[in-house]
Amino acid sequence: MLEVLIIDDDDIVTLVQNKLLQNCNVCAASLNFKRASDALEYLNSANPENDYLLLLDINMPIMNGWQFLEEIEKMTIKDRVFVYMVTSSIDYNDKEKAKDYSRIVNFIEKPITVKNCEQLKQHQLFKNYFE
Amino acid sequence: MNYSSDQLKILVVEDHIGDYILIEDYLTEEHVQIHLTRALTFKDAKEKLKSENTFNLILLDLSLPDVDDNEDLVRKMVALSNNTPIIVLTGFANKIFGVKTLSLGISDYLLKDELNAPQLAKSIFYSIERKNIDLKLSESERKYKTLFDFSPYPMWVLDKHSLDFLKVNDAAIKLYGFSPREFLCMNVRDLWVEELKEEIQNTWKENYHNKFNTTVKHLKKDGSIIHVEILSNPIDFDGREARVTQIKDITKQLEAEQALRSSEKRFKALVQDASDLIMIFDFDGNMSYVSPSSNQMIGILDSEMLQKNFFYYIHEDDVESVKEHLLMLHDIKRIQIPSYRIKTSNDKWRYVETIITNLSEDESVNGIVANCRDITEFIKQEKKLIASLKRYDTVAKATSDTITDYDILNDKIYYNEGIQSVFGYSKKDIDNSGTWWNDKLHPEDKDRVEGYSRDVKNAKSGNIQIEYRFRCADGSYKYVLDRSYLVTDIDDNPIRIIGAMQDITEIQNYIQTIEDHNSRLKDIAWTQSHVVRAPLARIMGIIDLLQNFPNISEQDQLLEHIISSATELDEIIRNITIKTENVSSIEK
């Protein structure tokens, strides 16, 4: 089963992304985390037989997206984790940096659109879940 | 006889009353004004002569009661007489002695027995007159001697035939430098200069017995030569045939005359050959002299120029000024008239500058002397120069550049006021050497600039443009854009570099400021783009949802989010604007 986690400090973003994922039939309901540490905690005790798709914001207080990814690498579940980096900035440096992280599947500039969802569903990694 | 009108005072020394009365009779017969005093004895006579000697004559009888020795009496009376003439009265017995008395200083002797009135009167007259002549003669001799000895003119007496010196006065000794002893061993020929010896010898021979005067040259003891005017007269010198010569030293006079002649010659040369035009005129402009240089200066002959009035030649716009200056000569002796125009033969104008001197009081000039110098070429040059300077000034002011003029041969750099106004160096700070300038270059620019200017000099190319930093008086550096022009002589050798140092520090600073601004604005844009994109991305996301899923639930809430995000976005943009403005104002 594919679980979808939204990690973003912006409530409206979380709401809109959740609605989009539901209406595009990506998932029935996403798991929403306002703080990255909460998401880490969840994954720590998560079912290792499931796959986890993370929509991860880069700019967050306390722990940002990159720090979060460093923590994921230390976890046993890391191979089940697939990350979509989602950022509002149009920063070329961030995009380059993303290439260094094997966990990152895609790099999306906000907002995530219906088109992004369609591409996601046809992605090699996830298409099995949507046939 | 002239003395007969005066009272004749006679002392009669006669003890014999009969004789006395006889004498008195004779005398009164011939003279109206006569006053006789009688002395009876020698003693009496002696007292009378001592108390009151105003006698014109003494009549002395040799037979006196208190005298034995007649000769002794005569001697004593002569001594007492104080030059009053004495006539001795004697008898036949003493005739021989009477004759002898003449050699003792007696004027005359008369024999009593032959005495009569006319004889007595005649003897008295002659005696008094002879005494007067004797006095005059000795006086004249004394005067002559004084004249010779103390004459300011050198004088000497020469032997008429040998021309040996016989006597020399003080002035001659002083002038020639020989001592009296030396002179008296010399001959006048010793003084003659070699070249004139023959001529003087001839003059002397021609006038052997006569007076003559001539001008000769004499040698002094120290060997120097003097010009003298001599006047020589034959005289009898103590019974010897001689010449007295008076000498007048005219060396100084001749030198002065020579100096005057050469000064006149010089003056003539100055006036007639000089290019300056010299004129003499009066206050009304009537001319009395024009120098020949008029022809050279304005093409009009001096004689022709004299026919018109001075003011005729002056430009009508200048004539008032010239007249005003002329009037000032009443108070000032000399004045310079500012340049004015003077007419030439072909009705063109020359500019002249004139110094006028009032010599109306000077009899040899009797007018105003004007010394005119042609300054036409100078005025033309000056006008060109002024125009050129004006252009230069305009350019210099417009650019606010520091103008440099580098004299390569003498290694001297001259600056305009920019060196002070731009770089702060006062006149006393500036040393005009090239080293001084080089020293002010920024150490990092020095090699580059020096190399470049060497290349320019060698390549002999005209234009130079280079940027460098130049040290100011306060130690700070200014960015300079130096645009210079190399001036060469006809052989293409570099002689000067004229340059304009433009202060581009402000431009440089401005560019730096803009770059700083840009970088800051970039930063602002960068950071703000995250913030801006956050609400924008939300709005775009919601719209994407609403478009794709028109029947989506909670549409009101989504619209509410669009509004709040739009408001947030608006606020962010406002903030960015304010912050951007702040950046610029900080820099200012």
Side-chain angles (χ1 to χ4, degrees):
Chain A
M1 159 178 185
L2 179 70
E3 280 194 51
V4 180
L5 281 72
I6 299 174
I7 306 160
D8 201 311
D9 59 328
D10 189 329
D11 290 335
I12 298 169
V13 169
T14 311
L15 173 78
V16 172
Q17 285 181 0
N18 186 31
K19 272 195 181 299
L20 181 70
L21 292 171
Q22 282 175 351
N23 283 287
C24 290
N25 298 315
V26 175
C27 63
S30 59
L31 294 165
N32 303 330
F33 298 93
K34 203 169 176 146
R35 286 179 303 202
S37 54
D38 291 348
L40 279 178
E41 204 173 307
Y42 173 79
L43 286 173
N44 240 338
S45 53
N47 184 353
E49 283 171 20
N50 285 348
D51 286 333
Y52 298 92
L53 171 63
L54 275 57
L55 302 183
L56 177 63
D57 187 23
I58 294 174
N59 298 306
M60 285 180 295
I62 305 164
M63 182 185 281
N64 68 20
W66 305 115
Q67 290 165 324
F68 176 83
L69 283 172
E70 299 295 334
E71 293 303 316
I72 292 291
E73 290 303 311
K74 298 170 188 169
M75 293 162 71
T76 48
I77 204 166
K78 63 178 180 189
D79 291 334
R80 291 282 180 176
V81 174
F82 304 96
V83 177
Y84 266 55
M85 282 304 267
V86 182
T87 177
S88 51
S89 81
I90 316 167
D91 194 329
Y92 176 78
N93 293 324
D94 284 347
K95 216 167 181 171
E96 285 296 301
K97 195 174 177 181
K99 288 175 181 168
D100 298 338
Y101 293 86
S102 55
R103 240 29 74 198
I104 294 173
V105 177
N106 207 345
F107 190 96
I108 295 172
E109 283 163 6
K110 283 179 184 175
I112 300 174
T113 57
V114 173
K115 209 174 176 183
N116 293 136
C117 289
E118 296 302 326
Q119 284 168 354
L120 183 150
K121 279 155 78 178
Q122 285 161 28
H123 196 280
Q124 198 65 34
L125 285 169
F126 313 118
K127 63 181 181 190
N128 291 338
Y129 294 110
F130 304 107
E131 278 168 356
Chain B
M1 291 175 200
N2 55 4
Y3 66 82
S4 59
S5 59
D6 297 329
Q7 194 179 49
L8 192 62
K9 291 171 86 179
I10 299 172
L11 176 66
V12 185
V13 189
E14 177 63 81
D15 66 326
H16 197 279
I17 184 71
D19 287 350
Y20 175 73
I21 292 168
L22 194 67
I23 290 165
E24 193 176 29
D25 282 351
Y26 289 156
L27 289 174
T28 45
E29 211 173 288
E30 290 288 321
H31 301 282
V32 185
Q33 299 273 340
I34 195 155
H35 181 270
L36 292 181
T37 306
R38 186 178 174 206
L40 289 168
T41 61
F42 169 69
K43 197 183 165 200
D44 190 11
K46 188 176 171 185
E47 276 162 16
K48 286 198 162 73
L49 282 169
K50 276 193 169 168
S51 62
E52 176 217 11
N53 188 1
T54 56
F55 302 108
N56 304 103
L57 183 83
I58 301 165
L59 286 174
L60 177 64
D61 183 7
L62 288 177
S63 53
L64 291 175
D66 55 344
V67 176
D68 295 328
D69 185 345
N70 282 342
E71 192 171 329
D72 187 45
L73 170 67
V74 170
R75 283 185 201 280
K76 280 177 175 160
M77 280 302 291
V78 168
L80 284 166
S81 73
N82 192 23
N83 279 328
T84 309
I86 302 171
I87 298 170
V88 167
L89 300 171
T90 179
F92 272 123
N94 276 328
K95 191 179 176 181
I96 294 162
F97 177 71
V99 176
K100 192 186 176 187
T101 56
L102 291 174
S103 64
L104 296 173
I106 296 298
S107 299
D108 201 4
Y109 75 94
L110 298 171
L111 295 173
K112 271 185 184 176
D113 304 328
E114 294 173 359
L115 201 61
N116 57 44
Q119 192 196 18
L120 184 60
K122 193 178 162 193
S123 176
I124 288 172
F125 169 68
Y126 279 132
S127 295
I128 293 174
E129 204 56 22
R130 193 185 306 123
K131 203 75 189 179
N132 278 340
I133 287 165
D134 280 355
L135 273 174
K136 280 181 187 162
L137 208 66
S138 64
E139 179 67 10
S140 128
E141 199 172 300
R142 196 179 58 76
K143 275 185 180 162
Y144 167 75
K145 277 209 147 90
T146 313
L147 200 67
F148 182 88
D149 288 336
F150 299 107
S151 164
Y153 290 117
M155 290 173 91
W156 53 61
V157 180
L158 306 172
D159 183 275
K160 189 181 177 182
H161 310 291
S162 70
L163 296 182
D164 286 340
F165 284 100
L166 301 177
K167 192 171 164 61
V168 181
N169 77 350
D170 289 347
I173 289 158
K174 203 174 156 197
L175 176 63
Y176 287 87
F178 296 106
S179 71
R181 191 182 293 268
E182 285 171 325
F183 257 124
L184 296 180
C185 301
M186 285 161 64
N187 186 282
V188 79
R189 292 185 180 87
D190 297 336
L191 300 178
W192 297 351
V193 295
E194 197 61 43
E195 67 201 78
L196 293 178
K197 269 186 176 163
E198 206 183 315
E199 188 185 317
I200 304 172
Q201 181 80 7
N202 290 339
T203 310
W204 166 62
K205 284 212 162 148
E206 281 166 23
N207 299 283
Y208 200 87
H209 302 292
N210 303 317
K211 148 184 165 180
F212 68 89
N213 61 335
T214 181
T215 306
V216 298
K217 286 196 250 178
H218 275 170
L219 277 167
K220 296 210 298 194
K221 190 185 180 184
D222 63 11
S224 60
I225 292 169
I226 51 171
H227 293 263
V228 290
E229 217 170 70
I230 59 170
L231 175 63
S232 186
N233 284 302
I235 54 156
D236 176 275
F237 181 73
D238 292 344
R240 193 166 170 180
E241 281 189 312
R243 281 194 164 272
V244 63
T245 306
Q246 182 186 286
I247 290 98
K248 192 177 166 193
D249 181 1
I250 55 165
T251 312
K252 290 237 166 68
Q253 187 187 329
L254 282 179
E255 278 170 3
E257 276 172 13
Q258 186 58 40
L260 191 67
R261 265 197 298 277
S262 52
S263 148
E264 266 174 14
K265 215 170 165 184
R266 261 204 307 277
F267 175 74
K268 237 181 169 174
L270 277 174
V271 170
Q272 302 195 333
D273 304 334
S275 58
D276 284 11
L277 171 62
I278 291 157
M279 295 174 282
I280 300 174
F281 45 75
D282 63 14
F283 279 99
D284 297 321
N286 300 314
M287 297 200 281
S288 55
Y289 175 79
V290 174
S291 70
S293 47
S294 65
N295 192 19
Q296 192 184 328
M297 189 188 283
I298 54 173
I300 303 173
L301 286 173
D302 48 335
S303 54
E304 197 183 324
M305 211 171 154
L306 276 171
Q307 288 163 7
K308 294 216 170 67
N309 188 287
F310 168 59
F311 299 120
Y312 166 82
Y313 295 99
I314 299 173
H315 194 283
E316 56 176 351
D317 293 344
D318 298 334
V319 77
E320 275 315 306
S321 154
V322 173
K323 280 182 175 171
E324 274 170 28
H325 279 86
L326 217 55
L327 286 177
M328 290 182 199
L329 282 183
H330 286 300
D331 304 319
I332 316 166
K333 180 132 181 111
R334 177 186 298 241
I335 197 165
Q336 175 164 356
I337 308 177
S339 60
Y340 60 91
R341 283 157 287 181
I342 193 164
K343 196 186 238 166
T344 66
S345 57
N346 50 8
D347 281 342
K348 285 188 175 158
W349 299 97
R350 303 291 293 175
Y351 280 93
V352 293
E353 193 177 68
T354 303
I355 293 169
I356 45 175
T357 312
N358 187 0
L359 291 177
S360 302
E361 304 296 319
D362 189 327
E363 279 175 18
S364 60
V365 178
N366 197 19
I368 297 162
V369 176
N371 195 318
C372 305
R373 200 154 58 92
D374 189 335
I375 53 164
T376 310
E377 291 310 311
F378 177 74
I379 292 263
K380 278 184 189 167
Q381 288 295 329
E382 196 179 48
K383 278 183 175 170
K384 273 189 200 165
L385 194 67
I386 286 169
S388 143
L389 277 178
K390 269 186 184 161
R391 270 201 302 278
Y392 173 82
D393 261 13
T394 316
V395 173
K397 273 178 189 155
T399 59
S400 80
D401 288 354
T402 303
I403 308 296
T404 57
D405 182 350
Y406 180 38
D407 177 349
I408 295 170
L409 294 178
N410 298 309
D411 188 37
K412 291 267 179 205
I413 305 187
Y414 301 96
Y415 307 91
N416 77 340
E417 64 273 16
I419 195 74
Q420 183 161 10
S421 59
V422 177
F423 299 103
Y425 290 105
S426 66
K427 280 212 171 75
K428 63 175 169 48
D429 296 333
I430 298 164
D431 160 13
N432 290 92
S433 69
T435 322
W436 187 86
W437 186 87
N438 277 3
D439 175 58
K440 302 296 169 287
L441 288 170
H442 193 283
E444 290 171 19
D445 298 340
K446 212 170 205 154
D447 290 345
R448 182 171 53 90
V449 175
E450 283 172 6
Y452 188 77
S453 48
R454 245 196 323 276
D455 289 349
V456 166
K457 271 189 248 171
N458 295 339
K460 293 155 187 171
S461 86
N463 287 303
I464 308 157
Q465 182 159 331
I466 188 168
E467 278 182 36
Y468 52 82
R469 282 160 290 177
F470 193 79
R471 192 165 71 245
C472 302
D474 64 7
S476 67
Y477 282 91
K478 286 204 161 165
Y479 284 90
V480 171
L481 171 63
D482 190 321
R483 275 170 293 205
S484 295
Y485 185 77
L486 182 76
V487 182
T488 54
D489 63 12
I490 45 169
D491 297 325
D492 273 350
N493 296 313
I495 47 172
R496 285 165 78 192
I497 300 175
I498 311 285
M501 293 168 67
Q502 187 189 355
D503 175 11
I504 55 163
T505 311
E506 273 186 34
I507 295 171
Q508 284 288 352
N509 284 340
Y510 190 57
I511 290 169
Q512 191 59 49
T513 308
I514 289 171
E515 279 174 359
D516 287 354
H517 271 207
N518 278 350
S519 127
R520 272 183 207 151
L521 288 172
K522 225 177 193 172
D523 282 353
I524 288 164
W526 209 240
T527 34
Q528 299 300 1
S529 77
H530 298 279
V531 187
V532 172
R533 282 221 79 238
L536 182 64
R538 285 203 299 264
I539 292 166
M540 286 163 77
I542 294 166
I543 289 169
D544 184 60
L545 261 182
L546 288 171
Q547 271 184 339
N548 286 288
F549 309 104
N551 301 317
I552 198 164
S553 60
E554 299 169 290
Q555 289 202 3
D556 289 348
Q557 200 191 352
L558 289 172
L559 286 171
E560 197 61 44
H561 286 318
I562 289 179
I563 300 273
S564 71
S565 294
T567 310
E568 193 184 326
L569 180 62
D570 183 46
E571 207 168 306
I572 288 163
I573 290 169
R574 279 175 202 279
N575 272 336
I576 290 172
T577 312
I578 290 164
K579 275 186 185 169
T580 313
E581 276 174 1
N582 283 347
V583 168
S584 345
S585 64
I586 285 163
E587 287 306 320
K588 275 172 195 165

